[in-house]
Every structure is written in C-alpha cells, then in structure tokens.
Amino acid sequence: MGLLLGACGSLRYYTQAVRGQSELVFHRRNIGTIVSNPATDPKLAARLLLAQQARLFASQHLGLPDNRSYTRYVDLHRNYVVWNVFAAPRYSVEPVLYCFPVAGCVAYRGYFAEADAKAEAARLQKKGDDVEIGGVSAYSTLGWFADPILSSMLRWDDDELDSTIFHELAHQLIYVKDDTAFNESFATFVQDQGLREWRQSRGLPAQDDRTQAMDNGFTKLVLDLRDRLKKLYASGVGDTAMEGGKQQEIAAFRERYKQWRDRDWPKEHGYDAWVAAPINNARLLPFGLYDQWTPAFAELFKQSQGQWLAFYQRVRDLARQPKLQRDATLVQLGRRVATSLAAP
C-alpha cells in the first residue's frame, strides 16, 4: 500500500511538472522577433537585446553551451515560474530529500502552481516536518529543453539577469547527481566570474563588493544558527527541552543579527523582514548550498591560468571522483585560498 501511494504521489507530481514545462514550451517566442517588432515595449526590447548579447558572450568567451537556451522569451503573467518546497524534520537540520532520475537527490520539490506547493507543504506539516515554500524566478532543465528567459527574471537588474544565464548554462555544462553543493557552487563561481568578465568587456567598472560582503555576513550568521541547532538536536534531551532550546536559539540569532546589523550595516535593513518572519529548520536549508565551495573553484580557476576550457576540464575530472574524495579535494583547494589570504 505504501509503495502504491508513493507511486500515485509521484505520478501526480510528474504530471504537473510535464504540464508546466509544456506550457513554457508552447508560449515561448523568439527574442529576435520580439526585439524587431515595432509594437514591442522599448524597455522590454532593450533588456532582451542586452540579454542576447550576454548569451552570445557566454558561448564565445566563457565556453558555455551554444544552443537555443535563453534565445526565447515567455511572459508568465505571474511572479514566479515554480515554487520550491523545502522540508526538514522538526528536530533536524538535514533536509527531506527528493530523488529524480536525471537530477538525482535534491533538498526540494518544485511546483508550477503555488496551490500545489502549499498542498505538499501542508502534507509534510501534518507529518510533523518543518516546511518552507520559496518562489523561484528561473531554473534549468539541464539541457533537456531550450530554457527560455522568463518574465519573472526581468524583475532583476541587468547584472543579475545576465549572470543568471551564465549560472544556468553552467548547470547544462557540468552537473553531478546527488551533489547539490558542488553543482550550485560551480555554477555560482561561473556566474560571478563570468559577470566580472562580461562587465569588463563592456567597459563597465567592477561591481561594488559592499552588497556581496553584506550577503556573506548574513549567510554566516544563518549558518551559525544552523550549527547551533544541529548540536542541540544531537544532545539527546527530551522533546520539551528540545523545543524550548530551539526557540531560544532562534531568539538569540535574532539578537545577534540586530547587533551585527547595527554595528556593520546601520543603514541597511534588507534582511529585517526575513529575520522577523517565523524561522524553522526548513527555512535554513538553502543557505550555504550556493557558495560552500566557491573559494575552491576560484582556486581551481587560478590554477587553470584563467582559461575557461582548462578550468572546465579540471572540474570534470573533479566531478568524476567519488564524493568523499571530491569533497576532500575541494577542502584542500579552499585551504589554499585561506592560506594565501592570510599571508602577509
């Protein structure tokens, strides 16, 4: 009975996924046609044209796949393309994993309809799990389809739009099943380094590092909370003490955040709403996934003399290693970065 119910649940999930992806394929329009149409809003045309230039740069200068991805546009008429559902047990910071034939096991499930995501979240909450729903503006099909630029992506500024194209194309180039931190860190490095080179090619100054520094500081605070909760959950105390300790740690995190903000970023309040909203284990899951190994990939790029094709070959060699060996190599690469930064 359990296997049958699981199969039915999977069938429903894949049905909505196929339906949602099919709608994107049906509604996509060639960007060249849109840009050349006099009736197109000039602001939309200008943004899509710049994105196409970034798309060309990605293939010609960054060595990313040269295919039809991001050469078409879809107006979604909604804020997000999918809603991801994250879940973790009430007293664990380890995610509930979802496994798929191509992508392997990941820490979330994506739904094309927000109502479906809420229904899945309610099912998980009924089981006693902590749950979080997050709207997603872009995603990759890993080259199985020609991924379009989505209207949800146009809510970003040009740098984020263009660099996200680099990020998603990087997933098409190299992807390792069952290793989200590796995949996302690799794609994030390509995104960040690609953006530096893209801006330089257009004669633009380097980005202000202030925003990145603030993001890094906040992520460090959240990861510290996750580590504290992990220790609490491993302590073996009873449920009442566990729940009390959990809430105390979350309250202490909010106080540490306020002190950090007031000391280092007194005029910045961009994270206030996130911190004030209810916090649970699932809400902490996305943090660290996208940048855990980025220093290691930066070191690998440096060792490749900044040559993209040589860098990708070294990443492929790394991807073929067993996970434990791969993680150990990434740790070593990261230590070299830390050592060089600490040197006088």
Side-chain angles (χ1 to χ4, degrees):
M1 178 64 74
L3 288 175
L4 178 61
L5 290 174
C8 290
S10 295
L11 179 60
R12 285 193 294 271
Y13 175 77
Y14 285 118
T15 297
Q16 68 85 31
V18 170
R19 183 173 61 248
Q21 182 63 43
S22 298
E23 289 177 355
L24 294 185
V25 171
F26 181 77
H27 289 102
R28 63 190 182 186
R29 299 163 56 204
N30 183 276
I31 288 178
T33 303
I34 296 173
V35 169
S36 62
N37 187 341
T40 300
D41 180 280
K43 292 182 178 179
L44 173 62
R47 298 212 65 199
L48 292 178
L49 181 60
L50 181 62
Q52 288 309 277
Q53 293 168 353
R55 176 68 187 82
L56 187 64
F57 182 86
S59 296
Q60 293 185 345
H61 296 275
L62 305 181
L64 293 170
D66 185 5
N67 53 35
R68 292 186 299 169
S69 290
Y70 307 109
T71 63
R72 301 180 184 185
Y73 173 70
V74 174
D75 190 343
L76 295 171
H77 303 289
R78 60 180 189 265
N79 289 334
Y80 300 107
V81 60
V82 294
W83 285 263
N84 282 345
V85 178
F86 295 87
R90 188 169 184 81
Y91 300 123
S92 173
V93 292
E94 298 302 318
V96 173
L97 294 177
Y98 297 95
C99 299
F100 305 96
V102 176
C105 296
V106 295
Y108 56 84
R109 241 186 181 183
Y111 292 86
F112 282 90
E114 187 176 14
D116 290 341
K118 288 181 176 179
E120 172 66 3
R123 183 186 70 81
L124 293 164
Q125 284 177 321
K126 191 173 181 180
K127 287 176 53 182
D129 291 334
D130 282 0
V131 178
E132 172 71 1
I133 299 175
V136 177
S137 298
Y139 72 96
S140 172
T141 60
L142 305 180
W144 286 84
F145 295 91
D147 297 322
I149 292 177
L150 306 168
S151 56
S152 52
M153 298 166 67
L154 299 185
R155 300 165 62 202
W156 303 328
D157 62 21
D158 288 335
D159 279 350
E160 189 166 3
L161 172 61
D162 298 343
S163 65
T164 297
I165 292 173
F166 305 156
H167 182 109
E168 302 300 351
L169 287 172
H171 282 318
Q172 293 187 16
L173 187 69
I174 300 173
Y175 187 91
V176 179
K177 288 181 69 172
D178 304 328
D179 199 338
T180 300
F182 177 90
N183 295 324
E184 294 300 346
S185 296
F186 163 67
T188 296
F189 172 78
V190 174
Q191 173 178 358
D192 293 344
Q193 180 61 30
L195 179 60
R196 292 187 194 98
E197 297 185 16
W198 168 232
R199 287 180 63 88
Q200 186 177 32
S201 74
R202 296 156 62 209
L204 298 177
Q207 278 189 301
D208 183 0
D209 291 334
R210 180 179 172 84
T211 299
Q212 187 62 56
M214 187 168 59
D215 288 347
N216 291 343
F218 182 71
T219 297
K220 186 176 180 180
L221 284 173
V222 175
L223 293 179
D224 176 66
L225 169 61
R226 195 160 72 190
D227 286 343
R228 290 168 183 264
L229 288 173
K230 185 176 183 179
K231 291 177 183 176
L232 170 67
Y233 299 151
S235 67
V237 299
D239 284 359
T240 300
M242 193 84 75
E243 183 62 29
K246 178 180 181 179
Q247 298 310 318
Q248 288 174 9
E249 289 291 359
I250 291 171
F253 160 77
R254 290 191 170 108
E255 184 59 32
R256 288 194 298 274
Y257 163 75
K258 184 176 182 299
Q259 293 173 359
W260 168 79
R261 182 201 62 197
D262 293 347
R263 182 188 67 242
D264 298 341
W265 311 96
K267 297 182 180 179
E268 302 291 343
H269 297 274
Y271 294 109
D272 287 6
W274 192 97
V275 173
I279 296 174
N280 62 31
N281 299 326
R283 201 151 186 254
L284 308 179
L285 292 177
F287 287 87
L289 284 178
Y290 284 74
D291 53 13
Q292 179 178 348
W293 302 121
T294 49
F297 284 113
E299 174 64 18
L300 207 58
F301 189 72
K302 179 181 177 182
Q303 292 180 9
S304 305
Q305 286 76 51
Q307 299 298 310
W308 284 103
L309 296 184
F311 168 68
Y312 294 143
Q313 185 55 54
R314 298 194 68 170
V315 175
R316 289 189 183 95
D317 292 342
L318 194 56
R320 283 192 283 268
Q321 294 179 2
K323 188 176 188 310
L324 288 178
Q325 182 182 350
R326 183 166 63 243
D327 286 355
T329 303
L330 290 166
V331 168
Q332 291 177 353
L333 288 166
R335 284 174 179 165
R336 291 178 189 173
V337 176
T339 300
S340 64
L341 290 175

